[in-house]
Amino acid sequence: MSDISLLIEDVNLSFPRNRIGLKSILGWLTGFKFKSQNIEPFHALKNINLTISKGEVIGIIGRNGASKSTLLRVMSGIFQPDSGMALSSGSVSLLSNVRIGFNGNLSGRENVYLYGSILGHSRRSMSEMMQGIIDFSELSDFIDQPLRTYSSGMQARLGLSIASAVKPEILLIDEVLAVGDISFKERSRHRIKEMVDGASTVVIVSHSLNYIKEVCNRVIVMNQGEIEFQGPPEESIQFYLDLNSRGK
Amino acid sequence: MKEDFALQRNHLSVVNPPCSIFNAFPKGISNLWGHRNLIRSFAARDISQRYRNSIIGYFWTILEPLLLSLVYYTLFIIIAGGAEERLPLWIIIGVVTWQYFSKSLNESVNCLTTNKNMIKQIYFPREVFAVSKVISQLVVTTMSLFVAIPFLLYLEITPTWQLIFIPISLLIVTLQVLGVGWLLAVPNVHHRDISHLIRFITRAGFFISPVMWQIRMLLEKDGAAKYLDYVYLNPMVAPLELMRSAFDGTEIPLPNWAIAWSLGFAVAVFYIGLTVFKKSEFKVVKRL
């Protein structure tokens, strides 16, 4: 039995900035280097090492473009790292920009089935969870309305309800909870605590520092594709604020 | 402490490990089987969305090929003078089969570019996109084929055991479009030229494949026989002719090797397409 739920080892990831076009094909054939082909790729993640244990709630903070979301995408398997690897102890599910994966023209209920099947659950098992999902999201009056009529907060509520109802071992949340109202934030905090008590692991990317401080037990500060600091929430947030005031 | 860590590490598995050239195909197939629920919901969503907000709804699946065939039939009569009694049936079956080929090929070539938002937000096997699109087209095609029934009644044709050719023909087309679609979906992310090219090929292919005309017409024409071997190289010839023979019970006007070639091409391109797709999809996600 392992206590580690996520292990990130020496992960590097870069995005190519040049396009494979006529010039690159010509260059490949003739060996000639065109000027426009010498664009350096964008190094999004540089030598990331991270060990996350079961039952931890990890917060990731950092400025825009610090590659926080990219790191979550490596964890969830969307991007394969150029070098190094991401290992996990079980199912990983990423909740990001709730609107995607949802379909505006289908009803909330149909979207639960659709989203459930994306996460690998059958219609029957989603039917069993349906009432719990509706109750937690408090959307019973709207669940049979098309999703396009929902507000962004309502969509976030539905998203978190489904993603947490299917009980993934590792739940990654990318800046979704910020749109919820106070009562939902309160309930989401409870839900995350429940999950963590049930030996799940939660990783949250957020800009709302207060929420991070309340929920997480370890916070990682990212800057320009690197982990600059990790530690208890107060210290990390202080580090992040100092980093900002230095204008780095 | 260090040993303890190594022990724990052994319990972990790599998130979506890259696959080798040999296990790419079996992995792709097992992914598709494992996500059959997802494929079903994507296909159902696709079909219900296509006919949403339309008054006659699913009737369009029959009306569209019917109207198209009417246009082609009229055109044919004007050019050729007269025509056989069964020509409308042949044309409509050809049009339905060709539409299945052309629409699902275009959609599967574009499967990565049209779903890029979803691909970047959530992970599930990406081979699902092409398959669900093709299956939704397959369902529509099957509904469209019912348009042949009134023609069969009018022409007093009784169906024979040859109806078994319908699923065989559809299988050949399905394997072909999925294989070619997967093969070209990744380069299409780099260069959209591919999708423009495929759109052109499916349009031009309509005329060089026996959709409006039949192999029989070539066989009867003097001097055309020497080109026949080249015509048979077109892998869509066999499914189109198989489909016609299935409905009207006539003999298949093709040599056996032409059918074997088409089936062999379909199986080979399906295998190669899925292997290449599985090997290269991850590199291309960064460029979406």
Side-chain angles (χ1 to χ4, degrees), chain A residues 3-4 9 14 16 18-20 73 75-78 80 82 86-88 94 96 100 103 117-118 122, chain B residues 8-9 12-16 18 37 41 45 49 119-124 126 190-191 282 286-287:
Chain A
D3 293 331
I4 303 175
E9 285 184 333
S14 57
N18 60 334
R19 280 179 52 79
I20 301 177
R73 275 173 205 157
M75 290 174 178
S76 68
I78 292 172
Q80 242 175 22
D82 298 337
L87 301 118
S88 77
L94 169 67
S96 90
I100 316 292
N103 187 307
S117 56
I118 290 178
S122 69
Chain B
Q8 288 197 14
R9 192 184 179 280
L12 305 178
S13 53
V14 179
V15 183
N16 298 321
N37 284 320
S41 16
R45 181 189 77 169
Q49 270 195 336
I119 289 171
K120 286 198 286 188
Q121 301 296 352
I122 191 160
Y123 179 78
F124 53 89
R126 285 125 188 173
H190 294 293
H191 302 291
F282 275 104
K286 289 196 227 168
R287 287 188 182 266

Side-chain angles (χ1 to χ4, degrees), chain A residues 61-62 206-215 219 233 237 240-241 244:
Chain A
I61 53 178
S206 182
H207 288 289
S208 107
L209 298 179
N210 281 333
Y211 190 78
I212 291 273
K213 196 189 278 179
E214 286 166 24
V215 180
V219 175
I237 288 170
Y240 175 53
L241 295 175
N244 265 334

Side-chain angles (χ1 to χ4, degrees), chain B residues 7-205:
Chain B
L7 198 70
Q8 288 197 14
R9 192 184 179 280
N10 285 338
H11 282 96
L12 305 178
S13 53
V14 179
V15 183
N16 298 321
C19 34
S20 76
I21 197 154
F22 297 109
N23 77 5
F25 183 78
K27 181 141 185 251
I29 295 292
S30 76
N31 277 345
L32 289 174
W33 179 248
H35 287 76
R36 55 192 184 283
N37 284 320
L38 181 60
I39 295 174
R40 197 184 307 142
S41 16
F42 273 168
R45 181 189 77 169
D46 201 46
I47 296 169
S48 73
Q49 270 195 336
R50 193 169 309 165
Y51 300 104
R52 187 180 289 272
N53 295 340
S54 81
I55 297 169
I56 59 170
Y58 292 112
F59 191 60
W60 273 113
T61 57
I62 288 178
L63 195 62
E64 194 196 343
L66 197 64
L67 291 175
L68 259 178
S69 304
L70 187 70
V71 174
Y72 297 137
Y73 179 69
T74 319
L75 203 67
F76 197 93
I77 296 288
I78 293 171
I79 294 171
E84 284 182 66
E85 202 185 15
R86 289 187 176 186
L87 189 69
L89 176 68
W90 291 336
I91 288 186
I92 203 155
I93 292 168
V95 165
V96 170
T97 315
W98 185 264
Q99 279 202 327
Y100 173 46
F101 170 75
S102 112
K103 284 186 182 171
S104 44
L105 181 61
N106 280 304
E107 283 183 344
S108 50
V109 167
N110 287 312
C111 70
L112 290 176
T113 46
T114 47
N115 292 300
K116 63 176 179 185
N117 286 329
M118 207 187 251
I119 289 171
K120 286 198 286 188
Q121 301 296 352
I122 191 160
Y123 179 78
F124 53 89
R126 285 125 188 173
E127 49 271 32
V128 161
F129 291 116
V131 174
S132 56
K133 283 280 182 198
V134 171
I135 285 185
S136 87
Q137 286 293 351
L138 184 62
V139 173
V140 171
T141 305
T142 315
M143 291 196 273
S144 304
L145 282 176
F146 282 98
V147 75
I149 292 175
F151 288 91
L152 292 178
L153 291 175
Y154 175 74
L155 295 165
E156 293 175 351
I157 298 170
T158 20
T160 63
W161 65 271
Q162 292 201 28
L163 283 178
I164 189 80
F165 293 156
I166 298 176
I168 296 175
S169 163
L170 290 176
L171 179 73
I172 295 177
V173 181
T174 307
L175 293 180
Q176 277 179 13
V177 290
L178 281 176
V180 177
W182 279 325
L183 199 60
L184 297 181
V186 170
N188 185 42
V189 174
H190 294 293
H191 302 291
R192 301 296 150 88
D193 310 52
I194 306 262
S195 71
H196 296 296
L197 189 68
I198 287 293
R199 207 166 54 231
F200 166 74
I201 288 174
T202 50
R203 279 186 193 155

Side-chain angles (χ1 to χ4, degrees), chain B residues 182-238:
Chain B
W182 279 325
L183 199 60
L184 297 181
V186 170
N188 185 42
V189 174
H190 294 293
H191 302 291
R192 301 296 150 88
D193 310 52
I194 306 262
S195 71
H196 296 296
L197 189 68
I198 287 293
R199 207 166 54 231
F200 166 74
I201 288 174
T202 50
R203 279 186 193 155
F206 179 90
F207 297 102
I208 60 166
S209 305
V211 183
M212 277 170 69
W213 49 276
Q214 289 94 51
I215 291 292
R216 251 180 233 105
M217 298 176 181
L218 280 190
L219 290 171
E220 287 159 10
K221 204 173 159 81
D222 293 335
K226 59 179 179 233
Y227 301 114
L228 271 177
D229 284 353
Y230 300 105
V231 174
Y232 294 150
L233 283 181
N234 174 355
M236 273 306 286
V237 168

Side-chain angles (χ1 to χ4, degrees), chain A residues 14-55:
Chain A
S14 57
F15 289 94
R17 278 198 277 209
N18 60 334
R19 280 179 52 79
I20 301 177
L22 258 173
K23 277 183 183 170
S24 64
I25 296 169
L26 272 178
W28 177 70
L29 285 174
T30 60
F32 181 77
K33 275 228 179 282
F34 290 91
K35 214 174 175 183
S36 59
Q37 287 298 306
N38 286 329
I39 307 167
E40 269 287 295
F42 173 68
H43 296 285
L45 296 173
K46 300 166 197 162
N47 271 324
I48 302 286
N49 278 294
L50 192 60
T51 310
I52 300 175
S53 306
K54 283 188 177 161

Side-chain angles (χ1 to χ4, degrees), chain A residues 1 33 78 83 106 134-135 157 191 208 226-227:
Chain A
M1 192 52 200
K33 275 228 179 282
I78 292 172
S83 65
L106 298 179
I134 296 172
D135 290 345
R157 262 148 60 185
R191 180 54 77 94
S208 107
E226 287 171 295
I227 294 180

